[in-house]
Amino acid sequence: MSDIPVLADSVRITADAVEILDRRVYPFEVRWVRCATNEEVAQAIERMVTQSSGPLFAATAGLVLAAREARRDPPRVAFARLRKAGDRLIATRPTNNHIRDAVQGVLEAVLDGNDGLPATGEELVEAVTEAARAHDAAYRARSAALGRHAAGLLGDGARVLTHCWADAFLVATVQAAQETGKHLEFVCTETRPYLQGARLTAATLVEMGYRPTLITDGMVATALADGLADVALTAADRVTLDGHVVNKVGTLGVALAANAFGVPYHALIDAPDPQARTIDDVVIERRDGDEVLHVLGRRTAAEGVTGYYPAFDATPPRLVTSIVTEHGVYEPSRVRDHFAVPHHTEES
């Protein structure tokens, strides 16, 4: 099995800061963005320094910084500052619920573990640091469990079409497939405007021993018509309880093309969102349209052009073959059944 890819460990906490691997320039540069405060972490998330599950780890690390910033305050004031810092992090990327769940999980663990507020600022820092570490470890364990279920859907020799950067879910799926001796091939969309598919997905697959084929986002239908892939596999930023898959914009196009050419489409999410009963409960992030006028810092559109950038889209359940969670594989109409499985944490 290959070593853990660089992108799988892209946030680190130091004695006085949080360092985030800049995914905007990887793999051409391995550059770390240093954040000395929770606000700087929030800004880094907003500026797309990290994406996919990266903001989850950045958010838990940001809370550690916030606790350090409040260590000299009285307990109630310190915790109020910590909660405000969490609200700031949640507001950075409203569509993916990873940040929301991470912030809530850390805050709840800090209170539950201390039967109330920690008595001192130093105890608050210790409690937040431990809660952040535990939340990160639990997420990695859930991803590993999800990966084993996803790998079970892929036959030996499967040719897999990906879209955007599925991060821990993709790495876990590939590792599980390698453990069982399955040979896979990959076709990756480039994923405008940040080229996550070209730079992150493809680079990680190369690290893991593959030679993926890269296509532009507009080639998906043709690639499937030409038989380049026989299964489509993406992450999901959120899955609603009625089976809608919310993911990087372009996922809907992948699902439509897969449906047209009889190719199964599987979406990976550690768990559906119990707070999103329908797609109406999901806020679709709208980013500055100017971002689509540039690629890797260089303008690619003529002056006078206006950009439009919904960062995510919603794929209806009828276009989704299955939704894979840490607990198993579900038809979209049965994704609620995920919550019927007794809660447990599997070893990764």
Side-chain angles (χ1 to χ4, degrees):
M1 186 190 303
S2 58
D3 295 333
I4 296 175
V6 172
L7 288 170
D9 190 16
S10 60
V11 177
R12 57 196 188 193
I13 302 175
T14 69
D16 61 352
V18 167
E19 296 177 340
I20 305 174
L21 182 67
D22 193 342
R23 292 180 172 179
R24 299 169 301 182
V25 299
Y26 188 87
F28 313 114
E29 296 180 48
V30 178
R31 182 171 73 196
W32 295 83
V33 174
R34 183 180 184 277
C35 302
T37 66
N38 180 75
E39 175 59 26
E40 290 181 358
V41 171
Q43 291 178 11
I45 296 172
E46 288 175 334
R47 293 168 182 170
M48 299 290 284
V49 171
T50 187
Q51 309 108 31
S52 193
S53 59
L56 178 154
F57 300 112
T60 57
L63 288 175
V64 173
L65 291 184
R68 292 175 181 175
E69 293 165 23
R71 71 197 329 158
R72 293 182 178 83
D73 293 332
R76 290 190 180 279
V77 174
F79 194 78
R81 285 184 63 181
L82 188 65
R83 190 180 295 280
K84 184 177 181 180
D87 291 341
R88 172 71 177 100
L89 292 165
I90 292 170
T92 58
R93 301 297 305 275
T95 299
N96 186 315
N97 56 306
H98 277 155
I99 298 176
R100 181 201 71 195
D101 292 346
V103 168
Q104 292 177 352
V106 169
L107 294 181
E108 290 171 2
V110 168
L111 291 177
D112 292 346
N114 294 276
D115 294 323
L117 295 174
T120 68
E122 291 302 325
E123 289 181 2
L124 177 66
V125 173
E126 291 176 8
V128 172
T129 301
E130 179 54 35
R133 185 180 299 115
H135 189 279
D136 292 354
Y139 178 78
R140 294 186 190 282
R142 293 195 301 271
S143 297
L146 177 158
R148 290 190 286 272
H149 293 304
L153 296 172
L154 305 177
D156 187 27
R159 296 166 298 169
V160 183
L161 173 74
T162 68
H163 181 60
C164 201
W165 165 228
D167 210 339
F169 300 161
L170 176 67
V171 171
T173 299
V174 171
Q175 288 176 330
Q178 290 176 335
E179 288 172 357
T180 56
K182 290 181 179 178
H183 172 74
L184 302 176
E185 296 179 13
F186 291 91
V187 177
C188 307
T189 61
E190 62 177 356
T191 327
R192 286 287 317 275
Y194 283 94
L195 304 183
Q196 294 103 315
R199 296 182 303 99
L200 308 183
T201 303
T204 295
L205 289 170
V206 169
E207 278 190 71
M208 300 184 79
Y210 300 90
R211 290 294 179 266
T213 298
L214 183 69
I215 62 174
T216 68
D217 295 0
M219 294 180 185
V220 172
T222 299
L224 294 182
D226 288 346
L228 261 65
D230 44 46
V231 59
L233 193 73
T234 77
D237 284 271
R238 199 181 308 201
V239 169
T240 64
L241 294 182
D242 64 353
H244 282 80
V245 171
V246 180
N247 194 46
K248 170 69 181 183
V249 67
T251 302
L252 174 58
V254 170
L256 285 165
N259 181 262
F261 293 103
V263 172
Y265 164 51
H266 307 294
L268 313 181
I269 187 79
D270 55 342
D273 182 8
Q275 297 183 37
R277 294 174 53 211
T278 72
I279 194 61
D280 292 335
D281 296 313
V282 179
V283 176
I284 300 297
E285 180 182 358
R286 308 277 172 169
R287 295 186 66 83
D288 187 343
D290 189 61
E291 294 182 38
V292 304
L293 307 182
H294 298 76
V295 174
L296 302 183
R298 181 170 181 172
R299 188 178 178 95
T300 55
E303 294 297 335
V305 175
T306 300
Y308 172 67
Y309 188 13
F312 302 87
D313 59 26
T315 299
R318 64 181 178 81
L319 297 176
V320 182
T321 305
S322 65
I323 294 169
V324 186
T325 79
E326 65 163 319
H327 291 161
V329 180
Y330 302 92
E331 295 179 2
S333 63
R334 301 294 300 275
V335 73
R336 287 174 181 264
D337 293 350
H338 165 94
F339 296 106
V341 178
H343 177 73
H344 65 282
T345 300
E346 297 193 38
E347 295 294 326
S348 56

